[in-house]
Amino acid sequence: MQKTICITGATSGFGKACAERFAREGWRLIVTGRRVDRLQELTDQLHGVPVHAVQLDVRDLAAVKTMASNLPEGFRDIDVLVNNAGLALGLEGAHEASLDDWETMIDTNIKGLCYLTRCLLPAMVARNQGHIINMGSIAGNYPYPGGNVYGATKAFVKQFSRNLLTDLIHTKIRVTNIEPGLAESEFSIVRFHGDKDKADAVYKGTQPLTPVDIAEIVHWVTSVPPHVNICTVEVMPVCQSCGPLAVHREA
């Protein structure tokens, strides 16, 4: 039977690559994003499979509820939810960071993910079938200067994923937290508020992960036997490692 996947933040990066990957397998696609023009481009590109595109800001609870309750026939039984919408903003220290940036990251990475999960999970529980895939980050495991609130939001995603598993142990629903390391998409362009030179410098001299790499991992965790749950996937490019603990020495 044809399966249905819902992908948030599907107009770029990991989300777009996931949409393209699952379209090749013939899945029905629910794709969401804030930019109407990009949603239309994506819909036009994904010809040959059923696509339901929804302009959606995951921070808007009323809009998320409306989307969940107004899914058209054929898209209501969601097999996989990919909570991909998220972002990092700024790289300043906590004493200099923008409170607006902090609030946007919390509202998107935490609250938006919670909204989608809470609105779509009951139907999965009723059918005793489904898979929640949350897009975390190694920033939720390893701190770095300037990571402050972004890393904290991804630590939330990790713990929320673990707690979902405990709540759903009586069901056949799976929960996976994907934790990418250095990956080149529009991530750094967004982080540096459109400064492409700063964004390009992040990846200089490296071979980072790509959105296609992450999409392959997302596809893999959905394709293992139904009794198997891949709880966490931490993935880095070979040029990256968790570093030694920092020590500040007085002059």
Side-chain angles (χ1 to χ4, degrees), residues 22-67:
F22 282 85
R24 291 203 301 273
E25 299 295 322
W27 286 51
R28 290 188 187 90
L29 298 170
I30 302 167
V31 291
T32 81
R34 290 180 299 165
R35 293 168 287 192
V36 176
D37 55 339
R38 289 205 178 188
L39 271 176
Q40 188 59 56
E41 289 173 9
L42 180 62
T43 303
D44 293 342
Q45 176 188 341
L46 300 174
H47 55 81
V49 296
V51 180
H52 176 57
V54 183
Q55 183 188 18
L56 181 69
D57 185 337
V58 298
R59 298 173 295 177
D60 185 339
L61 177 56
V64 172
K65 287 181 176 179
T66 298
M67 184 274 288

Side-chain angles (χ1 to χ4, degrees), residues 89-110:
L89 291 171
L91 202 59
E92 296 83 10
H95 59 297
E96 299 174 320
S98 162
L99 279 172
D100 288 341
D101 285 352
W102 280 10
E103 189 168 38
T104 298
M105 287 186 282
I106 291 168
D107 287 349
T108 307
N109 300 357
I110 295 178

Side-chain angles (χ1 to χ4, degrees), residues 9-237:
T11 55
S12 64
F14 299 160
K16 185 172 185 288
C18 286
E20 293 166 346
R21 181 66 180 87
F22 282 85
R24 291 203 301 273
E25 299 295 322
W27 286 51
R28 290 188 187 90
L29 298 170
I30 302 167
V31 291
T32 81
R34 290 180 299 165
R35 293 168 287 192
V36 176
D37 55 339
R38 289 205 178 188
L39 271 176
Q40 188 59 56
E41 289 173 9
L42 180 62
T43 303
D44 293 342
Q45 176 188 341
L46 300 174
H47 55 81
V49 296
V51 180
H52 176 57
V54 183
Q55 183 188 18
L56 181 69
D57 185 337
V58 298
R59 298 173 295 177
D60 185 339
L61 177 56
V64 172
K65 287 181 176 179
T66 298
M67 184 274 288
S69 61
N70 292 332
L71 290 170
E73 188 70 31
F75 292 91
R76 293 171 188 165
D77 292 341
I78 297 173
D79 297 282
V80 177
L81 166 62
V82 181
N83 278 315
N84 169 72
L87 76 169
L89 291 171
L91 202 59
E92 296 83 10
H95 59 297
E96 299 174 320
S98 162
L99 279 172
D100 288 341
D101 285 352
W102 280 10
E103 189 168 38
T104 298
M105 287 186 282
I106 291 168
D107 287 349
T108 307
N109 300 357
I110 295 178
K111 293 168 70 175
L113 180 144
C114 289
Y115 293 164
L116 264 295
T117 302
R118 180 61 182 84
C119 288
L120 296 180
L121 184 57
M124 291 185 179
V125 173
R127 297 190 340 265
N128 196 26
Q129 179 181 333
H131 195 164
I132 305 288
I133 299 177
N134 294 325
M135 198 60 66
S137 170
I138 63 167
N141 305 328
Y142 312 110
Y144 60 85
N148 41 70
V149 166
Y150 174 69
T153 66
K154 294 304 182 177
F156 175 93
V157 173
K158 171 191 283 291
Q159 194 62 20
F160 183 64
S161 300
R162 289 173 170 171
N163 279 282
L164 279 176
L165 278 172
T166 65
D167 287 344
L168 297 169
I169 193 170
H170 64 290
T171 75
K172 295 180 181 179
I173 297 169
R174 304 191 288 191
V175 181
T176 302
N177 184 33
I178 310 289
E179 301 175 344
L182 185 69
E184 186 170 12
S185 60
E186 294 182 17
F187 177 85
S188 288
I189 293 175
V190 173
R191 162 165 261 172
F192 296 119
H193 299 280
D195 189 328
K196 192 171 184 305
D197 290 337
K198 275 189 178 181
D200 289 345
V202 172
Y203 309 105
K204 186 177 181 180
T206 72
Q207 185 178 356
L209 303 172
T210 69
V212 170
D213 297 329
I214 301 305
E216 287 295 336
I217 293 170
V218 171
H219 181 264
W220 169 65
V221 302
T222 68
S223 62
V224 296
H227 70 286
V228 177
N229 187 78
I230 307 299
C231 301
T232 305
V233 179
E234 181 183 280
V235 53
M236 303 181 193

